[in-house]
Amino acid sequence: MTETRAHPRYEIRVSAELTLHDGEQVTCVTRDLSLGGVGVDTERPLVEGASLSVELFVVVDDIEDETTLPLNVSGKVAWCRMKSQVEFLAGIQFLDVTAEQKTYLQQLVSAQAAAG
């Protein structure tokens, strides 16, 4: 099976906080990142198709970098599957990405790729 993605994915692990439509916040870690979305590891299932907001935090030496503003972008859950009895994998598609957010994502991808 050939995979055709609109944007290449990069294996990047940064902290993320998801805010669900009901206001619940879910802390997770990214698995990969692209200009079009993000893959996350989470401790709870996410409802496919659900709208949410994603906040990504730059991490340096396993600590959130307080000197860098987090990226906040809206998205929707594209898919979610069970990884283990206590872990889930989910793919989140970014929605309505502004030019400024796209630039931030490009810089994050470049910085993390250079560091890794």
Side-chain angles (χ1 to χ4, degrees):
M1 182 168 88
T2 303
E3 187 173 327
T4 57
R5 293 188 181 267
H7 305 282
R9 292 210 175 253
Y10 301 92
E11 192 173 314
I12 295 176
R13 297 187 70 80
V14 298
S15 295
E17 187 168 275
L18 310 177
T19 303
L20 308 179
H21 69 281
D22 63 2
E24 180 182 357
Q25 293 185 324
V26 177
T27 301
C28 54
V29 176
T30 65
R31 297 177 57 78
D32 55 49
L33 179 68
S34 78
L35 297 179
V38 64
V40 297
D41 288 322
T42 179
E43 295 178 354
R44 59 159 290 179
L46 301 174
V47 177
E48 289 185 21
S51 296
L52 45 70
S53 69
V54 180
E55 197 166 19
L56 300 176
F57 300 89
V58 174
V59 175
V60 177
D61 295 327
D62 294 331
I63 299 172
E64 287 178 14
D65 181 6
E66 294 182 13
T67 63
T68 306
L69 291 175
L71 172 69
N72 196 320
V73 64
S74 61
K76 76 172 184 177
V77 180
W79 56 268
C80 184
R81 67 178 179 260
M82 186 179 285
K83 179 178 177 182
S84 70
Q85 289 196 343
V86 295
E87 289 182 287
F88 296 84
L89 304 174
I92 299 169
Q93 177 185 0
F94 295 145
L95 302 174
D96 305 320
V97 178
T98 66
E100 185 176 300
Q101 290 169 326
K102 186 174 181 176
T103 298
Y104 186 106
L105 283 166
Q106 290 170 325
Q107 291 172 345
L108 181 59
V109 166
S110 296
Q112 293 295 318

